Amino acid sequence: MPNLPDPVDLAIPAFVALVLAEMIAARFRDRRRYCPKDTLTSLGLGLGSTVAGVLSAGLVFALAVWVHQFAVFEISWAWYWFVIAFVLDDLAYYVFHRSAHRVRWFWASHVIHHSSQHYNLSTALRQTWTGFFSATFLFRLPLFLIGFPPAMVFFVAALNLVYQFWIHTETIGRMPRWFEAVMNTPSHHRVHHATNPRYLDSNYAGVFIVWDRMFGTFVAERDEDRPRYGIVRNLGSFNILWAAFHEWIGIARDVKAAPDWRARTGYIFGPPGWSHDGSRDTSDTIRQKWRAREEQGTWKRSTISSSVADRAEAPSRVA
Ligand SMILES: [Zn+2]
Ligand SMILES: [Zn+2]
């Protein structure tokens, strides 16, 4: 087994340098991009996530090694297996990330990443504290069962995380067309972080946007609908503990108040915003309401514009 470095550790100096460079660029171009309190919160959340990661890393690795003994194939350390592992791990990331937005249990752990109303490189540092508790490692287990060595999978997973750093920026508009077609980019990931109804629950990709295109979750960024960042009900606080645990507290409260087991299960495993009496909004209901409003608006606009056209035509008819 080769002695693999940790790509995240190696990338940290570059992360810091890039955040500083973007901060300076933002001072000249758009001061709203960086808010000192928000950036400090991001740093705190990044630090907390690193600590949580270190604490659980041993257990997660032991579990991976244990599962790997039931592997179907024996996979060598040849370079091409790293490439295949990278692609399959990115697919596993897509499945995890989609579940993280559609199942409240996983959302409680992932919401921290979406807790900022700003979108800049420091937002990327907001990573989960409760990933181990919510058992998100389950999504990678199939790779060990196929036969990929745990150290190889964790190495490519770290590369994946490093890639995702640079896409958290408004400084870059669009990349070349071929790149936007295949890769996850700042434009695609801005859509993922946006709360505009059009953009909700889309672009789950880690590195390759092709998964979203294949599985029907791709939405393109539109210049006329600029992303508004955050979560549907924003935290309104810079408290890092609240950002890390608020959804878990929400689940506990809802389960305690739930009238029966069906409701309890729904509050844990239903989509975020699900409620037993339908009194809250999920991203689906938000989108439905928005579509209905849009259709009404289009209908109104078309009636108005046709009557304007009639009036515009009138003089020529008279003439
Ligand atoms: Zn997400
Ligand atoms: Zn992100």
Side-chain angles (χ1 to χ4, degrees):
M1 186 176 98
N3 206 358
L4 297 168
D6 184 345
V8 177
D9 286 351
L10 293 177
I12 284 174
F15 288 172
V16 174
L18 286 166
V19 168
L20 290 173
E22 192 194 31
M23 254 179 187
I24 294 164
R27 276 195 94 76
F28 292 109
R29 290 170 67 173
D30 183 358
R31 278 170 170 267
R32 281 167 308 169
R33 272 186 207 145
Y34 271 88
C35 149
K37 266 191 171 174
D38 175 83
T39 308
L40 271 177
T41 309
S42 298
L43 289 173
L45 291 173
L47 204 69
S49 160
T50 310
V51 173
V54 168
L55 290 177
S56 59
L59 268 172
V60 173
F61 196 81
L63 184 75
V65 170
W66 181 77
V67 173
H68 187 244
Q69 63 179 322
F70 305 106
V72 182
F73 304 105
E74 203 175 311
I75 288 176
S76 75
W77 289 91
W79 66 270
Y80 47 84
W81 284 118
F82 278 87
V83 177
I84 297 167
F86 186 83
V87 175
L88 289 182
D89 177 69
D90 195 50
L91 174 59
Y93 179 84
Y94 172 87
V95 178
F96 147 72
H97 196 191
R98 193 167 168 173
S99 314
H101 282 263
R102 302 296 298 166
V103 179
R104 196 184 182 192
W105 178 263
F106 297 123
W107 172 243
S109 157
H110 181 61
V111 63
I112 193 169
H113 182 64
H114 290 269
S115 59
S116 173
Q117 285 173 259
H118 295 262
Y119 191 77
N120 53 52
L121 292 173
S122 80
T123 311
L125 307 177
R126 297 189 179 219
Q127 295 290 332
T128 183
W129 289 22
T130 50
F132 180 71
F133 173 74
S134 64
T136 45
F137 52 82
L138 289 178
F139 292 91
R140 285 213 164 91
L141 294 187
L143 286 148
F144 309 126
L145 279 178
I146 293 172
F148 291 96
M152 184 189 281
V153 174
F154 290 120
F155 178 74
V156 296
L159 286 180
N160 196 308
L161 196 67
V162 170
Y163 178 88
Q164 290 188 43
F165 174 76
W166 77 281
I167 58 180
H168 292 85
T169 185
E170 287 192 298
T171 310
I172 298 170
R174 303 278 203 287
M175 299 297 288
R177 274 177 73 135
W178 68 267
F179 197 86
E180 294 280 346
V182 183
M183 306 297 285
N184 198 5
T185 61
S187 174
H188 299 328
H189 203 59
R190 283 195 287 270
V191 166
H192 177 68
H193 275 258
T195 56
N196 315 34
R198 178 200 307 283
Y199 296 147
L200 284 175
D201 285 354
S202 58
N203 300 4
Y204 299 115
V207 172
F208 302 115
I209 198 70
V210 285
W211 307 125
D212 285 286
R213 296 186 191 276
M214 272 168 68
F215 300 121
T217 48
F218 176 73
V219 176
E221 184 183 32
R222 293 190 184 201
D223 293 330
E224 73 276 14
D225 197 4
R226 283 196 60 182
R228 294 184 298 277
Y229 305 107
I231 39 184
V232 173
R233 276 168 59 203
N234 280 304
L235 301 181
S237 132
F238 290 111
N239 182 330
I240 60 169
L241 292 177
W242 183 244
F245 298 112
H246 72 99
E247 192 65 22
W248 292 112
I249 295 167
I251 291 181
R253 279 186 189 150
D254 287 336
V255 167
K256 198 164 169 240
D260 52 37
W261 277 104
R262 191 191 146 268
R264 271 174 218 130
T265 318
Y267 281 121
I268 301 174
F269 299 110
W274 182 90
S275 53
H276 71 282
D277 54 3
S279 60
R280 302 178 195 170
D281 271 320
T282 63
S283 49
D284 289 335
T285 61
I286 292 172
R287 218 177 3 250
Q288 278 160 14
K289 287 177 190 172
W290 167 74
R291 281 225 178 93
R293 274 200 311 273
E294 281 284 290
E295 273 160 27
Q296 240 181 5
T298 323
W299 179 79
K300 265 190 198 150
R301 273 197 298 277
S302 68
T303 10
I304 291 166
S305 61
S306 62
S307 66
V308 168
D310 282 350
R311 262 179 274 144
E313 265 178 33
S316 66
R317 269 190 225 142
V318 174

